Amino acid sequence: MSNTAVAPEKVVNPVRPTGHKILEIIKETKTEWTFRLENSLPIQDGQFMQLSIPRVGEAPISVSGYGPGYCDFTIRNVGKVTKELFSMKKGDTIFMRGAYGHGWPLENFAGKNMLIVAGGTGVAPIKTLVSKLCQNPENYGEIYLILGFKDSESILFRETLTKWQQTPHFHVVYTLDNEEYLDWETGLVTKFIPNVPFADFNDKYECVVVGPPVMMRFATMSLGENGVPDEKIWVSYERNMSCGIGKCGHCRIDSTYVCVDGPVFNYSEAKNLQD
């Protein structure tokens, strides 16, 4: 029997954040900026990270972009943590942990026609998904985008929106709630859902809906009215996600933990997630 000592396995703390430098800050609007952080942590489209500032607090933020050595977060200045973030500059350090949760089910989308409906900051969680569809058009059918913002001052990702508009097989509607604006439609996103040719898809399609709760409610309702079954609708929910690993219970609805079981859900399940 050997007397050689065996080193204990290193225990990894799943909620311990690490420091990441700010590589760039892109001022999308007056109240919404994109922070590009150095990053080597693995990410799936649709997941979120917990961003924190020592002695200030922590906030869950969806990933709006990523690539070799970096990831992006598009953040609205609405609270204590985000207010402190907006006072930071390139080269400063933000602490981060994750990525957490289930992302978009790309395996379900392969070879399908896609409808993506998003509003306001809800465009951030679908940005990496749409970019992937744009980069690999041969893997999908026709892509329909209906993206809405409150007004011209709140438009996010202007250069990216233009790129999507010019992509073959993309059918794009960009709309503002109550403002007339050059080359943009006017009206809520639900106004344009009936124009999508679902009958031509021969049941080979999937739908994604992300945005404020009221917008998501009426968008999913409109999809149902146009014959789209719940099983073909995917949504992303936000709900007081704190620990990210299903332990604290802040995001729990019945037996579902949004941070672990979501934030992406099939609507056949998500429609029953009510307090």
Side-chain angles (χ1 to χ4, degrees), residues 17 50-54 57-59 81 85 93-96:
Q50 289 282 1
L51 303 187
S52 61
I53 302 173
E58 187 176 57
V81 177
L85 283 171
T93 297
I94 296 175
F95 285 79
M96 181 168 71

Side-chain angles (χ1 to χ4, degrees), residues 10-167:
K10 184 178 179 180
V11 177
V12 178
N13 186 341
V15 295
R16 181 178 182 178
T18 55
H20 300 255
K21 285 186 179 180
I22 299 175
L23 301 176
E24 187 178 357
I25 298 175
I26 303 165
K27 297 182 179 180
E28 308 280 358
T29 71
K30 291 181 179 179
T31 58
E32 289 144 328
W33 296 358
T34 294
F35 292 77
R36 175 161 292 184
L37 306 184
E38 62 178 6
N39 176 62
S40 59
L41 301 172
I43 298 171
Q44 296 177 11
D45 302 296
Q47 289 186 306
F48 70 96
M49 295 276 201
Q50 289 282 1
L51 303 187
S52 61
I53 302 173
R55 297 185 298 277
V56 177
E58 187 176 57
I61 308 291
S62 296
V63 177
S64 62
Y66 64 91
Y70 78 90
C71 63
D72 293 342
F73 301 91
T74 302
I75 301 171
R76 176 179 289 177
N77 188 2
V78 293
K80 181 175 68 172
V81 177
T82 55
K83 181 180 179 181
E84 187 68 22
L85 283 171
F86 273 57
S87 72
M88 302 180 81
K89 61 186 183 300
K90 180 179 178 180
D92 287 346
T93 297
I94 296 175
F95 285 79
M96 181 168 71
R97 59 185 178 88
Y100 296 121
H102 288 287
W104 301 110
L106 295 176
E107 67 280 1
N108 289 67
F109 299 164
K112 305 280 187 67
N113 300 292
M114 296 291 303
L115 167 63
I116 299 175
V117 184
T121 52
V123 176
I126 59 94
K127 182 171 176 282
T128 64
L129 168 63
V130 179
S131 294
K132 189 155 288 183
L133 304 181
C134 181
Q135 293 164 6
N136 303 281
E138 69 280 1
N139 294 338
Y140 307 93
E142 300 296 306
I143 310 299
Y144 289 77
L145 298 181
I146 304 176
L147 307 183
F149 297 93
K150 181 180 179 181
D151 52 42
S152 58
E153 296 296 320
S154 60
I155 297 173
L156 301 173
F157 315 127
R158 289 175 182 263
E159 291 185 7
T160 300
L161 296 187
T162 299
K163 180 180 179 181
W164 292 346
Q165 203 166 28
Q166 298 170 347
T167 301

Side-chain angles (χ1 to χ4, degrees), residues 161-176:
L161 296 187
T162 299
K163 180 180 179 181
W164 292 346
Q165 203 166 28
Q166 298 170 347
T167 301
H169 304 292
F170 272 47
H171 309 270
V172 175
V173 174
Y174 298 150
T175 184
L176 302 178

